[in-house]
Amino acid sequence: MGAFSDVFANLWTRTWERVLDNKGKLTATGGLLVGIILTLTFKDLYPDLEASFRRRLGRTRTNGTYHALPGQADYVRLEDHTRTTSKAAVDEDDPRRTVITDDQEILTGVEGLIGNTPLIKLRSLSEATGCEILAKAEFLNGAGNSPKDRVALSIITHAEEEGLLVPDRGDTIYEGTVGSTGISLAAVCRARGYKAHICMPSDAAIEKSDLLLKLGAIVERVKPASIVDSNQFVNLARRRAEEHTANADLPGRGFFADQFENTANYLAHQNTTGPEIYAQTSGSLNVFVAGAGTGGTISGVALALKPLLPDLRIVLADPQGSGLYNKVKNGVLFSSTETEGTRRRHQVDSIVEGIGINRLTANFSAGMHLIDDAIKVTDEQAMMMGRWLVEKEGLFVGASSCVNLVAAAVVANKMRAEGKKDARIVTILCDSGNRHLSKFWKEAGEVGGKDVEFTLDEILAKG
């Protein structure tokens, strides 16, 4: 041990001889050694200093409270899960260890996963059209994986505020839907202490009713019929709710969600979807494109954005068989498939589910005056667009999303022809293609290992 101490002392003395000359002044070699020592020391201390700085900075920032846009109604607020005050990093000394440098916000329940969906740029469509086409990924809502999550939460919250629903009382929510709203309602119902009873047309994709059953909903599939028929799926849901409430042997009461006429639908989008788009684009967009089933999305977003962006164009994407295109373009609610002897189905003559309708709803009417134009999209165009998105973007989406993107591409080409190449167009990706396997995607076919089969111009030429 003594010999080691002597060697260490000798090494230390020789080191300081290099650092200081015989007059006690710092030598060039000494300065280099001191610099290395200080650098290594600061490197070890820097993460702690940075974390301390970020904690102090975080305390000076806003607490993330909600701020309404100018003129925006104070209505149902969805959970905000974009506020992140923490940063996770891998420990350099131990890669298996994750270091959290601040407090991580924890969301509450499935409701915390609704809203604040990302806005993504679609590269292939943007490059093909010369305009920037952005899509709000509403299929990433975390309850039912569609924009109907917002509607379901809004309807339920409003009914609770009105005293129409009471959690864990035995109340059941009834709704007539082709799928997405029912799926969102089933998920949110379970989270909030209710049961769901869904009535849907028997020709809707079977995977939707299968999913509803897995979510604990009661499902009635009924023969497609006109809205004037008392056994039409929406009318049946209303009647079932009334029967529940009138039956003293059943617990709680029945509540008819009424997504087509309940204005909590469009208000959900006016208060959340529209403001999110405004924030995500920093108020810089030229066109908003969306389809309409209930009409809640297009009306709500238009009502939120038009007062802030008077030059914004709102464009309806309408599938074949729907009468809304003619209502916007010509003021008459009519589809050529209404002609006697030409209709193939009892509702809207299209393979597309979720959008398209032949009557005016309260939700569509709320924002109809703000819609500037409409684009008619054929089933063939929608199916080709679905394949294009898989091949070019790796996105597997449902029928209504494909209709939206065909319309967005048509609008982009028109704007390019007008010399507005740098226009920004926003639309909606509604749900995943997983819900459309047995119907829309069965007809669209398998992509397999194929390369891109057609150009965008070939898709649009099918209109």
Side-chain angles (χ1 to χ4, degrees), residues 298-299 302 324 327-328 360 363-372:
I298 194 167
S299 288
L324 296 181
K327 181 63 178 177
V328 172
L360 285 182
N363 285 289
F364 187 80
S365 298
M368 183 172 61
H369 62 288
L370 299 175
I371 300 175
D372 300 291

Side-chain angles (χ1 to χ4, degrees), residues 337-390:
T337 58
E338 295 293 314
T339 304
E340 186 175 356
T342 65
R343 180 191 285 276
R344 296 195 309 268
R345 294 182 68 241
H346 292 279
Q347 194 185 2
V348 174
D349 197 11
S350 170
I351 197 172
V352 173
E353 293 181 340
I355 58 174
I357 195 169
N358 283 311
R359 70 179 191 275
L360 285 182
T361 67
N363 285 289
F364 187 80
S365 298
M368 183 172 61
H369 62 288
L370 299 175
I371 300 175
D372 300 291
D373 200 1
I375 305 292
K376 177 69 71 178
V377 178
T378 67
D379 284 356
E380 187 174 8
Q381 285 179 307
M383 289 187 287
M384 292 174 72
M385 178 57 75
R387 298 178 68 92
W388 165 282
L389 286 173
V390 172

Side-chain angles (χ1 to χ4, degrees), residues 181-239:
T181 302
I183 293 167
S184 295
L185 278 171
V188 178
C189 277
R190 287 293 175 171
R192 299 289 276 252
Y194 308 107
K195 293 181 180 179
H197 186 123
I198 305 301
C199 300
M200 62 193 307
S202 58
D203 62 349
I206 191 66
E207 52 268 30
K208 294 182 180 180
S209 57
D210 288 346
L211 180 54
L212 282 164
L213 291 170
K214 298 301 186 292
L215 288 169
I218 296 173
V219 179
E220 282 191 75
R221 292 175 69 96
V222 299
K223 182 179 178 180
S226 168
I227 190 65
V228 299
D229 190 322
S230 62
N231 290 318
Q232 192 261 3
F233 66 99
V234 175
N235 295 330
L236 179 63
R238 179 187 292 107
R239 189 167 73 248

Side-chain angles (χ1 to χ4, degrees), residues 245-420:
T245 301
N247 190 340
D249 294 330
L250 292 177
R253 61 164 294 165
F255 174 77
F256 177 48
D258 199 12
Q259 61 165 327
F260 290 93
E261 308 302 328
N262 190 332
T263 55
N265 181 340
Y266 85 78
L267 285 169
H269 296 291
Q270 182 179 357
N271 290 323
T272 64
T273 315
E276 286 171 25
I277 291 171
Y278 186 86
Q280 289 167 324
T281 60
S282 299
S284 176
L285 66 156
N286 304 99
V287 186
F288 176 72
V289 178
T294 65
T297 301
I298 194 167
S299 288
V301 171
L303 287 164
L305 296 183
K306 274 279 197 175
L308 302 173
L309 303 168
D311 295 330
L312 176 69
R313 291 182 60 77
I314 305 294
V315 177
L316 171 72
D318 209 34
Q320 67 179 52
S322 172
L324 296 181
Y325 169 84
N326 278 321
K327 181 63 178 177
V328 172
K329 299 286 283 188
N330 306 311
V332 179
L333 187 67
F334 176 77
S335 169
S336 59
T337 58
E338 295 293 314
T339 304
E340 186 175 356
T342 65
R343 180 191 285 276
R344 296 195 309 268
R345 294 182 68 241
H346 292 279
Q347 194 185 2
V348 174
D349 197 11
S350 170
I351 197 172
V352 173
E353 293 181 340
I355 58 174
I357 195 169
N358 283 311
R359 70 179 191 275
L360 285 182
T361 67
N363 285 289
F364 187 80
S365 298
M368 183 172 61
H369 62 288
L370 299 175
I371 300 175
D372 300 291
D373 200 1
I375 305 292
K376 177 69 71 178
V377 178
T378 67
D379 284 356
E380 187 174 8
Q381 285 179 307
M383 289 187 287
M384 292 174 72
M385 178 57 75
R387 298 178 68 92
W388 165 282
L389 286 173
V390 172
E391 295 165 346
K392 301 284 280 186
E393 299 277 359
L395 286 170
F396 183 56
V397 297
S400 57
S401 302
C402 297
V403 171
N404 287 344
L405 290 173
V406 170
V410 171
V411 171
N413 279 350
K414 287 182 178 180
M415 300 196 79
R416 182 176 60 183
E418 296 170 359
K420 302 173 182 176

